[in-house]
Structures are given as structure tokens and as C-alpha cells.
Amino acid sequence: MKKSYIVIGVIIVIVIGIFMWFKGSYNQMVTRSENVSSQWSNVENQYQRRLDLIPNLVNTVKGYAEHEQNTLTQVVEARAKATQMRVNFDQLDEQTIQKFNNMQGELSSALSRLMAISEQYPDLKANENFRDLQAQLEGTENRIAVERRKFNEEVKGYNAYIRSFPKNIIAGMFGFLPKPYFEATAGAEKAPEVKF
């Protein structure tokens, strides 16, 4: 009789131990997934900050470089495309990140052309509003790079956690899928050519 109580007690302890391990692993996956989601929001926030600065920058340049309308139009159109794309974090996959990255790349390219125009107009470069906006835009680009790096770090930790054995079994049972990284855009390995 005492042996059966001991066996039942050991079984209960083992079951409780397994349950606690499953619970802890699942909760850790949820926490890490939320960290990735939160960092993705930080990335989007910095991109939004850039989008918010662009109309002011375009309007400032417009007053000095009226005949550069084509470049201004490209910036406005690229901004419009970038604002139309909404990314659902739950459906974040490599294709979505690539599409998001491409749209932001188009906008970055248009902004680079806009900044190159400023070199042709000394009065524009001396304009205090333009200098302030340019500095804010440069700061925003740096923040975007930092937030993307942090996002990749969070993704790395999350992916490593859900892919390690035996947690990969729990991840598979509950639908925790690996998240994609931000990667450099095509051609980023080449230094940009600057012409004055």
C-alpha cells in the first residue's frame, strides 16, 4: 500500500515537473514573440517619423528648386507608396519584409536625389529650415538603422529559442514560427556615387 502511494507521488511530481517546464517554455516563447513584435513597432515608428518629415522637406525645397519638379514628384510618390503598406506582425514573413524594404528603399533613393539637388542651390543649403530638416532626416536614418539592428537581435534570440530542442516541439505544437530578419537591400554592398 505504501509503495503505491510512493509511486503515485513520484508520478504526480514528474507530471507537475513536465507541466511546469512546458508552461515555462511556452511563456518564454510568448515573451520573446512579444519582444520581436515590440521591436518591429519601433522600426515602424522610425520609418513613420521619416515619412512625417518628408512633406516639410519637399515644401522647403520646392520654394528654391521649382524646375526640379520631377524629383519632388518622385519623392512624394515614393512616400505615398510607403504609407500605403501596412504590415501585420502576425503575418510577418520574408516576402513581406522584402516588400517593405523595397518600398523604403525607393523612398531612400528618391530622398538621396532630393539631397543631391540641394547641392546645386547654395541658398537652399543656407536655409535654416532645410538644414534643420536635413539634420532631422539624417538622425532618423540613423535611428532606423539602430532599430533594425535591434529587431534583428530580437529575432535572433526568438528564432534560436524556438528552434532549440526540445522547445521546437512545443513551438510546433503552438504555432510559433521563425521570424525573418531585415537584410540589406540589393546593391547595398556598393558605395553610392555622389556627384556635385
Side-chain angles (χ1 to χ4, degrees), residues 99-143:
K99 186 176 177 185
F100 183 84
N101 218 10
N102 289 343
M103 285 189 172
Q104 294 299 331
E106 287 177 30
L107 183 56
S108 294
S109 177
L111 283 172
S112 295
R113 288 190 297 277
L114 184 66
M115 291 300 148
I117 286 174
S118 72
E119 296 298 324
Q120 300 169 15
Y121 298 92
D123 291 342
L124 174 59
K125 285 172 47 178
N127 180 292
E128 188 176 329
N129 286 341
F130 180 78
R131 284 195 324 250
D132 289 346
L133 289 167
Q134 188 176 22
Q136 287 182 38
L137 194 58
E138 288 170 359
T140 299
E141 294 298 326
N142 289 335
R143 287 182 181 130

mmCIF file of all heavy atoms in Angstrom, residues 99-143:
data_model
loop_
_atom_site.group_PDB
_atom_site.id
_atom_site.type_symbol
_atom_site.label_atom_id
_atom_site.label_comp_id
_atom_site.label_asym_id
_atom_site.label_seq_id
_atom_site.Cartn_x
_atom_site.Cartn_y
_atom_site.Cartn_z
ATOM 1 N N LYS A 99 9.235 43.231 -49.355
ATOM 2 C CA LYS A 99 8.375 44.236 -49.995
ATOM 3 C C LYS A 99 8.461 45.562 -49.233
ATOM 4 O O LYS A 99 8.594 46.635 -49.836
ATOM 5 C CB LYS A 99 6.929 43.743 -50.036
ATOM 6 C CG LYS A 99 5.992 44.647 -50.795
ATOM 7 C CD LYS A 99 4.597 44.052 -50.871
ATOM 8 C CE LYS A 99 3.650 45.008 -51.562
ATOM 9 N NZ LYS A 99 2.271 44.525 -51.557
ATOM 10 N N PHE A 100 8.395 45.485 -47.909
ATOM 11 C CA PHE A 100 8.515 46.676 -47.062
ATOM 12 C C PHE A 100 9.868 47.343 -47.291
ATOM 13 O O PHE A 100 9.974 48.557 -47.481
ATOM 14 C CB PHE A 100 8.348 46.265 -45.596
ATOM 15 C CG PHE A 100 8.372 47.412 -44.621
ATOM 16 C CD1 PHE A 100 7.223 48.139 -44.365
ATOM 17 C CD2 PHE A 100 9.533 47.760 -43.958
ATOM 18 C CE1 PHE A 100 7.238 49.199 -43.466
ATOM 19 C CE2 PHE A 100 9.559 48.812 -43.058
ATOM 20 C CZ PHE A 100 8.402 49.531 -42.816
ATOM 21 N N ASN A 101 10.915 46.547 -47.321
ATOM 22 C CA ASN A 101 12.271 47.036 -47.522
ATOM 23 C C ASN A 101 12.417 47.697 -48.895
ATOM 24 O O ASN A 101 13.070 48.735 -49.025
ATOM 25 C CB ASN A 101 13.253 45.871 -47.387
ATOM 26 C CG ASN A 101 14.525 46.255 -46.701
ATOM 27 O OD1 ASN A 101 14.659 47.332 -46.152
ATOM 28 N ND2 ASN A 101 15.481 45.356 -46.735
ATOM 29 N N ASN A 102 11.819 47.098 -49.933
ATOM 30 C CA ASN A 102 11.891 47.664 -51.277
ATOM 31 C C ASN A 102 11.210 49.025 -51.344
ATOM 32 O O ASN A 102 11.730 49.955 -51.964
ATOM 33 C CB ASN A 102 11.284 46.715 -52.305
ATOM 34 C CG ASN A 102 12.142 45.492 -52.542
ATOM 35 O OD1 ASN A 102 13.322 45.463 -52.210
ATOM 36 N ND2 ASN A 102 11.558 44.461 -53.110
ATOM 37 N N MET A 103 10.042 49.133 -50.733
ATOM 38 C CA MET A 103 9.333 50.417 -50.744
ATOM 39 C C MET A 103 10.137 51.475 -49.998
ATOM 40 O O MET A 103 10.235 52.620 -50.443
ATOM 41 C CB MET A 103 7.944 50.274 -50.135
ATOM 42 C CG MET A 103 6.975 49.602 -51.044
ATOM 43 S SD MET A 103 5.331 49.717 -50.356
ATOM 44 C CE MET A 103 4.390 49.083 -51.712
ATOM 45 N N GLN A 104 10.694 51.107 -48.866
ATOM 46 C CA GLN A 104 11.510 52.060 -48.116
ATOM 47 C C GLN A 104 12.783 52.395 -48.893
ATOM 48 O O GLN A 104 13.279 53.515 -48.830
ATOM 49 C CB GLN A 104 11.838 51.510 -46.734
ATOM 50 C CG GLN A 104 10.635 51.340 -45.829
ATOM 51 C CD GLN A 104 9.910 52.650 -45.543
ATOM 52 O OE1 GLN A 104 10.479 53.721 -45.528
ATOM 53 N NE2 GLN A 104 8.606 52.548 -45.305
ATOM 54 N N GLY A 105 13.302 51.423 -49.646
ATOM 55 C CA GLY A 105 14.482 51.662 -50.479
ATOM 56 C C GLY A 105 14.202 52.656 -51.591
ATOM 57 O O GLY A 105 15.038 53.514 -51.906
ATOM 58 N N GLU A 106 13.020 52.543 -52.214
ATOM 59 C CA GLU A 106 12.621 53.512 -53.237
ATOM 60 C C GLU A 106 12.562 54.909 -52.640
ATOM 61 O O GLU A 106 13.005 55.879 -53.257
ATOM 62 C CB GLU A 106 11.258 53.147 -53.828
ATOM 63 C CG GLU A 106 11.251 51.954 -54.743
ATOM 64 C CD GLU A 106 9.852 51.607 -55.233
ATOM 65 O OE1 GLU A 106 9.006 52.521 -55.371
ATOM 66 O OE2 GLU A 106 9.602 50.417 -55.479
ATOM 67 N N LEU A 107 12.006 54.994 -51.454
ATOM 68 C CA LEU A 107 11.912 56.285 -50.781
ATOM 69 C C LEU A 107 13.302 56.821 -50.441
ATOM 70 O O LEU A 107 13.588 58.004 -50.654
ATOM 71 C CB LEU A 107 11.059 56.153 -49.514
ATOM 72 C CG LEU A 107 10.797 57.431 -48.736
ATOM 73 C CD1 LEU A 107 10.148 58.498 -49.613
ATOM 74 C CD2 LEU A 107 9.897 57.124 -47.544
ATOM 75 N N SER A 108 14.185 55.968 -49.965
ATOM 76 C CA SER A 108 15.551 56.388 -49.652
ATOM 77 C C SER A 108 16.266 56.891 -50.909
ATOM 78 O O SER A 108 16.975 57.898 -50.868
ATOM 79 C CB SER A 108 16.353 55.230 -49.056
ATOM 80 O OG SER A 108 15.828 54.878 -47.798
ATOM 81 N N SER A 109 16.053 56.200 -52.015
ATOM 82 C CA SER A 109 16.672 56.603 -53.275
ATOM 83 C C SER A 109 16.159 57.972 -53.718
ATOM 84 O O SER A 109 16.940 58.834 -54.134
ATOM 85 C CB SER A 109 16.368 55.549 -54.343
ATOM 86 O OG SER A 109 16.889 55.936 -55.582
ATOM 87 N N ALA A 110 14.851 58.174 -53.630
ATOM 88 C CA ALA A 110 14.269 59.467 -54.005
ATOM 89 C C ALA A 110 14.780 60.573 -53.086
ATOM 90 O O ALA A 110 15.080 61.684 -53.544
ATOM 91 C CB ALA A 110 12.742 59.388 -53.968
ATOM 92 N N LEU A 111 14.894 60.273 -51.803
ATOM 93 C CA LEU A 111 15.420 61.270 -50.860
ATOM 94 C C LEU A 111 16.881 61.599 -51.161
ATOM 95 O O LEU A 111 17.300 62.748 -51.030
ATOM 96 C CB LEU A 111 15.289 60.769 -49.418
ATOM 97 C CG LEU A 111 13.900 60.859 -48.812
ATOM 98 C CD1 LEU A 111 13.858 60.151 -47.473
ATOM 99 C CD2 LEU A 111 13.453 62.298 -48.671
ATOM 100 N N SER A 112 17.657 60.612 -51.576
ATOM 101 C CA SER A 112 19.058 60.857 -51.933
ATOM 102 C C SER A 112 19.142 61.822 -53.110
ATOM 103 O O SER A 112 19.976 62.721 -53.124
ATOM 104 C CB SER A 112 19.759 59.545 -52.297
ATOM 105 O OG SER A 112 19.832 58.715 -51.182
ATOM 106 N N ARG A 113 18.264 61.617 -54.113
ATOM 107 C CA ARG A 113 18.248 62.538 -55.254
ATOM 108 C C ARG A 113 17.848 63.932 -54.805
ATOM 109 O O ARG A 113 18.395 64.936 -55.278
ATOM 110 C CB ARG A 113 17.301 62.018 -56.334
ATOM 111 C CG ARG A 113 17.846 60.794 -57.058
ATOM 112 C CD ARG A 113 17.045 60.429 -58.281
ATOM 113 N NE ARG A 113 15.680 60.048 -57.998
ATOM 114 C CZ ARG A 113 15.282 58.833 -57.606
ATOM 115 N NH1 ARG A 113 16.183 57.887 -57.450
ATOM 116 N NH2 ARG A 113 14.022 58.576 -57.369
ATOM 117 N N LEU A 114 16.905 64.009 -53.877
ATOM 118 C CA LEU A 114 16.476 65.306 -53.359
ATOM 119 C C LEU A 114 17.626 66.010 -52.642
ATOM 120 O O LEU A 114 17.835 67.215 -52.803
ATOM 121 C CB LEU A 114 15.284 65.127 -52.409
ATOM 122 C CG LEU A 114 14.663 66.398 -51.846
ATOM 123 C CD1 LEU A 114 14.027 67.207 -52.957
ATOM 124 C CD2 LEU A 114 13.619 66.045 -50.792
ATOM 125 N N MET A 115 18.380 65.257 -51.853
ATOM 126 C CA MET A 115 19.521 65.852 -51.152
ATOM 127 C C MET A 115 20.603 66.281 -52.140
ATOM 128 O O MET A 115 21.278 67.289 -51.939
ATOM 129 C CB MET A 115 20.110 64.871 -50.134
ATOM 130 C CG MET A 115 19.219 64.598 -48.958
ATOM 131 S SD MET A 115 18.861 66.111 -48.062
ATOM 132 C CE MET A 115 17.235 65.751 -47.490
ATOM 133 N N ALA A 116 20.773 65.534 -53.224
ATOM 134 C CA ALA A 116 21.756 65.908 -54.234
ATOM 135 C C ALA A 116 21.362 67.230 -54.898
ATOM 136 O O ALA A 116 22.235 68.049 -55.223
ATOM 137 C CB ALA A 116 21.891 64.806 -55.275
ATOM 138 N N ILE A 117 20.076 67.452 -55.074
ATOM 139 C CA ILE A 117 19.597 68.716 -55.648
ATOM 140 C C ILE A 117 20.016 69.881 -54.774
ATOM 141 O O ILE A 117 20.378 70.953 -55.265
ATOM 142 C CB ILE A 117 18.057 68.686 -55.815
ATOM 143 C CG1 ILE A 117 17.681 67.796 -56.984
ATOM 144 C CG2 ILE A 117 17.498 70.085 -56.016
ATOM 145 C CD1 ILE A 117 16.193 67.600 -57.132
ATOM 146 N N SER A 118 19.973 69.671 -53.480
ATOM 147 C CA SER A 118 20.289 70.769 -52.567
ATOM 148 C C SER A 118 21.704 71.300 -52.784
ATOM 149 O O SER A 118 21.986 72.460 -52.518
ATOM 150 C CB SER A 118 20.104 70.323 -51.119
ATOM 151 O OG SER A 118 21.125 69.432 -50.740
ATOM 152 N N GLU A 119 22.594 70.447 -53.282
ATOM 153 C CA GLU A 119 23.961 70.879 -53.539
ATOM 154 C C GLU A 119 24.021 71.920 -54.655
ATOM 155 O O GLU A 119 24.959 72.699 -54.730
ATOM 156 C CB GLU A 119 24.845 69.677 -53.893
ATOM 157 C CG GLU A 119 25.006 68.663 -52.777
ATOM 158 C CD GLU A 119 25.682 69.252 -51.551
ATOM 159 O OE1 GLU A 119 26.585 70.091 -51.695
ATOM 160 O OE2 GLU A 119 25.291 68.862 -50.438
ATOM 161 N N GLN A 120 23.026 71.938 -55.537
ATOM 162 C CA GLN A 120 23.005 72.859 -56.667
ATOM 163 C C GLN A 120 22.444 74.230 -56.287
ATOM 164 O O GLN A 120 22.488 75.148 -57.088
ATOM 165 C CB GLN A 120 22.165 72.270 -57.809
ATOM 166 C CG GLN A 120 22.690 70.951 -58.309
ATOM 167 C CD GLN A 120 21.704 70.267 -59.244
ATOM 168 O OE1 GLN A 120 20.763 70.875 -59.730
ATOM 169 N NE2 GLN A 120 21.931 68.994 -59.498
ATOM 170 N N TYR A 121 21.909 74.348 -55.098
ATOM 171 C CA TYR A 121 21.257 75.588 -54.692
ATOM 172 C C TYR A 121 21.854 76.081 -53.371
ATOM 173 O O TYR A 121 21.406 75.692 -52.297
ATOM 174 C CB TYR A 121 19.743 75.371 -54.537
ATOM 175 C CG TYR A 121 19.094 74.960 -55.832
ATOM 176 C CD1 TYR A 121 18.954 73.617 -56.157
ATOM 177 C CD2 TYR A 121 18.651 75.918 -56.735
ATOM 178 C CE1 TYR A 121 18.385 73.231 -57.355
ATOM 179 C CE2 TYR A 121 18.077 75.544 -57.941
ATOM 180 C CZ TYR A 121 17.954 74.198 -58.242
ATOM 181 O OH TYR A 121 17.386 73.825 -59.433
ATOM 182 N N PRO A 122 22.863 76.952 -53.455
ATOM 183 C CA PRO A 122 23.511 77.434 -52.229
ATOM 184 C C PRO A 122 22.530 78.108 -51.262
ATOM 185 O O PRO A 122 22.678 77.975 -50.055
ATOM 186 C CB PRO A 122 24.546 78.432 -52.744
ATOM 187 C CG PRO A 122 24.732 78.118 -54.180
ATOM 188 C CD PRO A 122 23.469 77.479 -54.652
ATOM 189 N N ASP A 123 21.540 78.830 -51.802
ATOM 190 C CA ASP A 123 20.561 79.489 -50.929
ATOM 191 C C ASP A 123 19.758 78.464 -50.142
ATOM 192 O O ASP A 123 19.433 78.679 -48.977
ATOM 193 C CB ASP A 123 19.599 80.373 -51.737
ATOM 194 C CG ASP A 123 20.295 81.588 -52.318
ATOM 195 O OD1 ASP A 123 21.393 81.913 -51.827
ATOM 196 O OD2 ASP A 123 19.741 82.189 -53.256
ATOM 197 N N LEU A 124 19.451 77.344 -50.799
ATOM 198 C CA LEU A 124 18.692 76.280 -50.128
ATOM 199 C C LEU A 124 19.537 75.664 -49.012
ATOM 200 O O LEU A 124 19.060 75.458 -47.899
ATOM 201 C CB LEU A 124 18.278 75.203 -51.122
ATOM 202 C CG LEU A 124 17.594 73.959 -50.553
ATOM 203 C CD1 LEU A 124 16.321 74.328 -49.801
ATOM 204 C CD2 LEU A 124 17.292 72.962 -51.651
ATOM 205 N N LYS A 125 20.811 75.408 -49.297
ATOM 206 C CA LYS A 125 21.686 74.819 -48.287
ATOM 207 C C LYS A 125 21.850 75.743 -47.084
ATOM 208 O O LYS A 125 22.057 75.297 -45.974
ATOM 209 C CB LYS A 125 23.051 74.513 -48.894
ATOM 210 C CG LYS A 125 23.037 73.285 -49.788
ATOM 211 C CD LYS A 125 24.314 73.059 -50.549
ATOM 212 C CE LYS A 125 25.553 73.163 -49.729
ATOM 213 N NZ LYS A 125 26.783 72.885 -50.487
ATOM 214 N N ALA A 126 21.747 77.048 -47.332
ATOM 215 C CA ALA A 126 21.901 78.017 -46.247
ATOM 216 C C ALA A 126 20.597 78.227 -45.473
ATOM 217 O O ALA A 126 20.606 78.803 -44.390
ATOM 218 C CB ALA A 126 22.380 79.357 -46.810
ATOM 219 N N ASN A 127 19.491 77.732 -46.026
ATOM 220 C CA ASN A 127 18.195 77.919 -45.378
ATOM 221 C C ASN A 127 18.145 77.139 -44.074
ATOM 222 O O ASN A 127 18.405 75.935 -44.040
ATOM 223 C CB ASN A 127 17.088 77.443 -46.334
ATOM 224 C CG ASN A 127 15.707 77.584 -45.753
ATOM 225 O OD1 ASN A 127 15.368 76.890 -44.811
ATOM 226 N ND2 ASN A 127 14.928 78.479 -46.323
ATOM 227 N N GLU A 128 17.824 77.836 -43.016
ATOM 228 C CA GLU A 128 17.825 77.216 -41.684
ATOM 229 C C GLU A 128 16.822 76.063 -41.588
ATOM 230 O O GLU A 128 17.128 75.009 -41.016
ATOM 231 C CB GLU A 128 17.510 78.278 -40.627
ATOM 232 C CG GLU A 128 17.685 77.776 -39.212
ATOM 233 C CD GLU A 128 17.473 78.875 -38.192
ATOM 234 O OE1 GLU A 128 17.761 80.048 -38.490
ATOM 235 O OE2 GLU A 128 17.013 78.532 -37.090
ATOM 236 N N ASN A 129 15.635 76.242 -42.164
ATOM 237 C CA ASN A 129 14.623 75.169 -42.131
ATOM 238 C C ASN A 129 15.134 73.925 -42.833
ATOM 239 O O ASN A 129 14.964 72.801 -42.353
ATOM 240 C CB ASN A 129 13.322 75.623 -42.785
ATOM 241 C CG ASN A 129 12.541 76.578 -41.925
ATOM 242 O OD1 ASN A 129 12.748 76.660 -40.716
ATOM 243 N ND2 ASN A 129 11.647 77.316 -42.542
ATOM 244 N N PHE A 130 15.751 74.131 -43.994
ATOM 245 C CA PHE A 130 16.263 72.989 -44.743
ATOM 246 C C PHE A 130 17.353 72.270 -43.954
ATOM 247 O O PHE A 130 17.358 71.049 -43.865
ATOM 248 C CB PHE A 130 16.796 73.426 -46.113
ATOM 249 C CG PHE A 130 17.329 72.271 -46.918
ATOM 250 C CD1 PHE A 130 16.471 71.408 -47.580
ATOM 251 C CD2 PHE A 130 18.696 72.020 -46.988
ATOM 252 C CE1 PHE A 130 16.960 70.333 -48.300
ATOM 253 C CE2 PHE A 130 19.190 70.951 -47.703
ATOM 254 C CZ PHE A 130 18.311 70.108 -48.365
ATOM 255 N N ARG A 131 18.273 73.038 -43.376
ATOM 256 C CA ARG A 131 19.354 72.420 -42.594
ATOM 257 C C ARG A 131 18.795 71.633 -41.412
ATOM 258 O O ARG A 131 19.249 70.537 -41.113
ATOM 259 C CB ARG A 131 20.339 73.490 -42.124
ATOM 260 C CG ARG A 131 21.253 73.985 -43.218
ATOM 261 C CD ARG A 131 22.440 74.763 -42.651
ATOM 262 N NE ARG A 131 22.113 75.563 -41.493
ATOM 263 C CZ ARG A 131 22.069 76.890 -41.463
ATOM 264 N NH1 ARG A 131 22.342 77.580 -42.542
ATOM 265 N NH2 ARG A 131 21.783 77.540 -40.351
ATOM 266 N N ASP A 132 17.799 72.220 -40.738
ATOM 267 C CA ASP A 132 17.186 71.517 -39.604
ATOM 268 C C ASP A 132 16.511 70.230 -40.053
ATOM 269 O O ASP A 132 16.657 69.179 -39.429
ATOM 270 C CB ASP A 132 16.165 72.408 -38.895
ATOM 271 C CG ASP A 132 16.802 73.548 -38.131
ATOM 272 O OD1 ASP A 132 18.033 73.515 -37.917
ATOM 273 O OD2 ASP A 132 16.066 74.478 -37.742
ATOM 274 N N LEU A 133 15.754 70.315 -41.153
ATOM 275 C CA LEU A 133 15.064 69.125 -41.669
ATOM 276 C C LEU A 133 16.064 68.077 -42.130
ATOM 277 O O LEU A 133 15.877 66.883 -41.897
ATOM 278 C CB LEU A 133 14.119 69.511 -42.809
ATOM 279 C CG LEU A 133 12.878 70.280 -42.395
ATOM 280 C CD1 LEU A 133 12.196 70.877 -43.620
ATOM 281 C CD2 LEU A 133 11.915 69.393 -41.631
ATOM 282 N N GLN A 134 17.122 68.516 -42.767
ATOM 283 C CA GLN A 134 18.152 67.586 -43.228
ATOM 284 C C GLN A 134 18.799 66.877 -42.027
ATOM 285 O O GLN A 134 19.007 65.666 -42.054
ATOM 286 C CB GLN A 134 19.201 68.333 -44.047
ATOM 287 C CG GLN A 134 20.197 67.428 -44.735
ATOM 288 C CD GLN A 134 21.160 68.208 -45.606
ATOM 289 O OE1 GLN A 134 21.360 69.405 -45.420
ATOM 290 N NE2 GLN A 134 21.763 67.529 -46.558
ATOM 291 N N ALA A 135 19.093 67.628 -40.991
ATOM 292 C CA ALA A 135 19.688 67.035 -39.782
ATOM 293 C C ALA A 135 18.719 66.051 -39.129
ATOM 294 O O ALA A 135 19.122 64.964 -38.692
ATOM 295 C CB ALA A 135 20.078 68.128 -38.795
ATOM 296 N N GLN A 136 17.440 66.416 -39.089
ATOM 297 C CA GLN A 136 16.439 65.501 -38.511
ATOM 298 C C GLN A 136 16.322 64.231 -39.345
ATOM 299 O O GLN A 136 16.208 63.124 -38.798
ATOM 300 C CB GLN A 136 15.083 66.188 -38.418
ATOM 301 C CG GLN A 136 14.994 67.225 -37.334
ATOM 302 C CD GLN A 136 13.607 67.825 -37.261
ATOM 303 O OE1 GLN A 136 12.606 67.141 -37.430
ATOM 304 N NE2 GLN A 136 13.548 69.122 -36.992
ATOM 305 N N LEU A 137 16.366 64.398 -40.661
ATOM 306 C CA LEU A 137 16.268 63.234 -41.547
ATOM 307 C C LEU A 137 17.489 62.333 -41.383
ATOM 308 O O LEU A 137 17.357 61.110 -41.314
ATOM 309 C CB LEU A 137 16.122 63.701 -42.995
ATOM 310 C CG LEU A 137 15.676 62.661 -43.999
ATOM 311 C CD1 LEU A 137 14.326 62.063 -43.606
ATOM 312 C CD2 LEU A 137 15.579 63.264 -45.375
ATOM 313 N N GLU A 138 18.668 62.920 -41.286
ATOM 314 C CA GLU A 138 19.881 62.123 -41.068
ATOM 315 C C GLU A 138 19.804 61.386 -39.730
ATOM 316 O O GLU A 138 20.172 60.212 -39.638
ATOM 317 C CB GLU A 138 21.112 63.022 -41.108
ATOM 318 C CG GLU A 138 21.447 63.522 -42.491
ATOM 319 C CD GLU A 138 22.515 64.610 -42.502
ATOM 320 O OE1 GLU A 138 22.996 65.012 -41.411
ATOM 321 O OE2 GLU A 138 22.865 65.059 -43.591
ATOM 322 N N GLY A 139 19.321 62.081 -38.704
ATOM 323 C CA GLY A 139 19.151 61.437 -37.400
ATOM 324 C C GLY A 139 18.154 60.295 -37.459
ATOM 325 O O GLY A 139 18.352 59.238 -36.855
ATOM 326 N N THR A 140 17.086 60.509 -38.222
ATOM 327 C CA THR A 140 16.061 59.468 -38.367
ATOM 328 C C THR A 140 16.628 58.257 -39.087
ATOM 329 O O THR A 140 16.348 57.112 -38.708
ATOM 330 C CB THR A 140 14.832 60.022 -39.117
ATOM 331 O OG1 THR A 140 14.293 61.098 -38.355
ATOM 332 C CG2 THR A 140 13.776 58.957 -39.317
ATOM 333 N N GLU A 141 17.434 58.489 -40.116
ATOM 334 C CA GLU A 141 18.049 57.368 -40.835
ATOM 335 C C GLU A 141 18.935 56.562 -39.889
ATOM 336 O O GLU A 141 18.947 55.333 -39.942
ATOM 337 C CB GLU A 141 18.860 57.874 -42.038
ATOM 338 C CG GLU A 141 18.023 58.518 -43.131
ATOM 339 C CD GLU A 141 17.016 57.590 -43.781
ATOM 340 O OE1 GLU A 141 17.287 56.378 -43.918
ATOM 341 O OE2 GLU A 141 15.935 58.078 -44.153
ATOM 342 N N ASN A 142 19.654 57.251 -39.023
ATOM 343 C CA ASN A 142 20.478 56.544 -38.035
ATOM 344 C C ASN A 142 19.609 55.754 -37.066
ATOM 345 O O ASN A 142 19.931 54.618 -36.707
ATOM 346 C CB ASN A 142 21.363 57.530 -37.266
ATOM 347 C CG ASN A 142 22.470 58.102 -38.120
ATOM 348 O OD1 ASN A 142 22.893 57.489 -39.101
ATOM 349 N ND2 ASN A 142 22.932 59.284 -37.775
ATOM 350 N N ARG A 143 18.508 56.353 -36.631
ATOM 351 C CA ARG A 143 17.595 55.646 -35.717
ATOM 352 C C ARG A 143 16.997 54.419 -36.388
ATOM 353 O O ARG A 143 16.815 53.375 -35.747
ATOM 354 C CB ARG A 143 16.479 56.583 -35.269
ATOM 355 C CG ARG A 143 16.920 57.629 -34.294
ATOM 356 C CD ARG A 143 15.744 58.484 -33.873
ATOM 357 N NE ARG A 143 16.164 59.500 -32.945
ATOM 358 C CZ ARG A 143 15.871 60.775 -33.057
ATOM 359 N NH1 ARG A 143 15.133 61.209 -34.055
ATOM 360 N NH2 ARG A 143 16.285 61.635 -32.163
#
